[in-house]
Every structure is written in C-alpha cells, then in structure tokens.
Amino acid sequence: MKHEVKKGESNTSSVMQFLLLGFSDLPNLQEFLFGVFFIIYIIIILGNSLIIMLIRLDPVLQKPMYFFLANFSFLEICYVSVILPRMLVTVWTQDRSISLLECATQMCFFLVFGATECFLLAVMAYDRYVAICNPLHYPLVMNEKICVNLAFGSWVIGMPVQIGETVQIFSLQFCDSNQINHFFCDIPPIIKLACGNTFINEMVVYVVTMLIAAVPCMWILISYGKIISTILKLPTASGRAKAFSTCSSHLLVVVLFFGSAAITYFRPKSNHSPGTDRLFSLFYTIVTPMFNPMIYSLRNKDVIASLRKLFLTK
C-alpha cells in the first residue's frame, strides 16, 4: 500500500489518502469476517425493512409509538450503510485506501446519523412518558403534526453541528502516518494522525458530544424516572407489568446504544487502545442495530401479532 502525500513548501508532508487498517491484524480470518459482516448487514436490512413494512401495512400499528419506530428502523439502515458496505469491500478486496474526501464524507454521515439516533431515542422516550404519565392528554399532545415535526427535527437538528465538526476535524494538518487503526473514519483515530497540538479540537469534540449525546441521554433518564415513578404507583401488578412492557424495548435499546458509545468517547484517553476501540465501535455501530429489530419484535405484542397476520394469512 502506498503512502500518498503532498509535499508542502515546508518540510511537512500532508496526507492526501488514508489506509483503513480495520482487521488487517487478522489475516487468516478475512474470508470469515467478510461472511459474518455480510450476514449481519443482510439481517439489519431485512429486519428493519420488515418492521417498516409492518407499520405501513397494519392499521393496528398506526400509532405515534410505531411511527417513531419506523423512523428509527429506517435510520438504522442508513446508519449501518455508511460503514458496513465500505468495510465489506475492504475485507473482500484488501484495498484499504480511502481518499481524504471519502473519509470526511463517511465521518460526516456517520456523525449526522448518530446525532439523529440520539435525538430520536429521546423523542421516543418522550412519547412513552406522555403515554404512561399523561394518558388522557396523549391523543392531543402526540397528534400527527407534532409527531411529524418531532421526527423531522430529530433528523435535521444535528446536521449543522456535525457538518461543522467534520470540517474542523479535516481542517487539521495530517502528516507522517496515514494509517487509521480502525474499520471506518471515526473521530478518535483520525485526531491521532493530526500534527501538532489537537487539544482545542478534542475539547470541541467533547462539547459537541455532550450537546448531541449527553443532553438527549439526560432527557431520557428524566423521562424514565417519571415513567418508573408513575408505574410504581399503579394499583395492580398486572397494570404495572403492562405499562412497563410498552417501554422496556426502547429502554433496552437506549442502554445498548448509549452505554457502548459512552465507553468509546468518554473513557480516559490513557485507556484507549485500537483493539478496545474497535470492539466497542463494532458494538454500537453494527451489533446493536442488528439486535434492535429482534428486541422490538420479540418484546412487543402488537408487532408479533402483525407478523403472525403477515405470514399466516393467505
């Protein structure tokens, strides 16, 4: 693999092309990894597409909760499609080169879709809060116009910030090494390749992450605090179980996504290593989206009933 650089007027070499090392440290497992990741990608596409189709076709699922779930499933398809197809091509062809523009584009879309997921999960938590804590006002508060606006806002609110963050990351000067010890263009491994002092850039990343991830996460925690308080006040055990079952799937997805992402971005820099970074990144970028359709279908009676109608009716 060649190290493509551009010589400046000074003695500094500017990297014009990166090498995604990915899983190159496992040379004997390349075909196995391709097979595993290909199957995972198919599962994610089919699973989330099935949920979208069920919600579109079944009148029983024409509710705000499932409207947001359809948005979430479509988002998961977009989210993994930013990473997995490129990774599959890399593993299959062993061509690990990626241009500066391609790398910046991949990071930008990854950050935008990641921000959308944070806000959409917060909106879904708000929907469950209104349904459980204010059930009489639910049809009024979560009407069609409000649902569309909340979903649209989730998709677009993080775009300017994440585009700006991508620009500031790739405004850095990259020199000497062009090897990204990761399977996609994520922020931590890219910053490691930058020349000079990157303290300000790292602080910007932390601030943006706090705004994009920590604020929605706090909203989710507050919502679920009130939800749990309301559920515990219900007079019967069956009522409490029914109320909790309506939000348990979403809560599990929240824990998986925010938990693995927080470990990746907020643990001390001294604890970062390429192996652990890849492991946690795999979890929240690929493994969690694979399990999400299963979590929502297996833990939701309405979705299970819709699946039965789809496959058992002639």
Side-chain angles (χ1 to χ4, degrees):
M1 297 292 182
K2 64 180 182 179
H3 182 165
E4 187 176 319
V5 298
K6 182 180 179 180
K7 295 285 185 180
E9 292 186 3
S10 64
N11 262 346
T12 308
S13 299
S14 298
V15 172
M16 301 300 292
Q17 179 174 277
F18 293 113
L19 299 179
L20 285 167
L21 297 185
F23 302 94
S24 58
D25 54 341
L26 303 171
N28 298 326
L29 296 177
Q30 296 300 296
E31 293 181 359
F32 172 76
L33 290 173
F34 177 85
V36 169
F37 291 135
F38 181 76
I39 291 171
I40 288 175
Y41 189 47
I42 296 300
I43 290 172
I44 292 170
I45 298 295
L46 292 180
N48 285 289
S49 297
L50 179 60
I51 286 180
I52 294 170
M53 184 179 68
L54 288 174
I55 293 170
R56 293 277 294 178
L57 296 178
D58 195 337
V60 176
L61 302 182
Q62 303 302 309
K63 301 174 184 177
M65 173 182 175
Y66 299 109
F67 169 75
F68 294 127
L69 178 55
N71 271 269
F72 186 73
S73 294
F74 178 68
L75 172 63
E76 292 291 62
I77 293 173
C78 297
Y79 186 66
V80 297
S81 294
V82 172
I83 298 170
L84 263 175
R86 172 76 202 198
M87 188 167 70
L88 287 170
V89 170
T90 299
V91 173
W92 181 258
T93 64
Q94 295 299 298
D95 180 8
R96 305 186 184 281
S97 61
I98 183 170
S99 70
L100 199 72
L101 179 60
E102 289 174 318
C103 192
T105 302
Q106 184 186 55
M107 178 186 286
C108 184
F109 277 103
F110 168 73
L111 293 176
V112 167
F113 291 142
T116 302
E117 182 150 353
C118 292
F119 288 115
L120 194 54
L121 286 170
V123 167
M124 293 169 78
Y126 176 69
D127 171 71
R128 291 298 83 207
Y129 160 72
V130 177
I132 293 172
C133 299
N134 297 288
L136 297 179
H137 295 94
Y138 184 70
L140 179 64
V141 175
M142 301 303 292
N143 61 53
E144 183 178 352
K145 182 179 179 180
I146 290 177
C147 289
V148 171
N149 287 339
L150 286 172
F152 179 75
S154 298
W155 281 92
V156 302
I157 193 171
M159 283 186 182
V161 176
Q162 299 296 42
I163 291 171
E165 184 172 25
T166 304
V167 170
Q168 72 98 12
I169 292 293
F170 281 89
S171 297
L172 292 168
Q173 187 80 5
F174 301 101
C175 53
D176 298 329
S177 175
N178 70 335
Q179 297 183 350
I180 302 173
N181 204 342
H182 213 337
F183 57 88
F184 73 101
C185 293
D186 199 4
I187 292 176
I190 294 292
I191 287 184
K192 284 181 181 179
L193 302 181
C195 308
N197 191 341
T198 59
F199 176 78
I200 294 177
N201 302 91
E202 291 176 26
M203 288 300 100
V204 171
V205 170
Y206 276 114
V207 171
V208 170
T209 304
M210 290 296 291
L211 291 173
I212 297 297
V215 172
C217 187
M218 287 301 297
W219 178 262
I220 291 169
L221 291 174
I222 292 170
S223 297
Y224 273 102
K226 294 182 177 180
I227 287 171
I228 293 171
S229 176
T230 301
I231 290 174
L232 293 176
K233 292 176 183 176
L234 294 176
T236 63
S238 60
R240 290 192 293 270
K242 183 179 180 181
F244 189 74
S245 68
T246 64
C247 57
S248 58
S249 299
H250 175 256
L251 186 58
L252 182 57
V253 169
V254 166
V255 171
L256 290 173
F257 177 75
F258 280 104
S260 54
I263 292 172
T264 300
Y265 286 95
F266 288 113
R267 75 184 192 276
K269 192 173 180 180
S270 58
N271 292 343
H272 279 253
S273 71
T276 54
D277 283 349
R278 287 200 306 253
L279 179 62
F280 286 118
S281 295
L282 270 176
F283 200 80
Y284 73 84
T285 59
I286 297 173
V287 176
T288 301
M290 179 182 68
F291 282 121
N292 287 348
M294 303 178 197
I295 291 170
Y296 277 108
S297 60
L298 295 178
R299 298 180 64 86
N300 189 294
K301 293 180 180 179
D302 289 340
V303 175
I304 292 174
S306 185
L307 278 169
R308 284 174 178 164
K309 281 194 289 184
L310 178 68
F311 291 110
L312 297 180
T313 54
K314 297 181 180 179

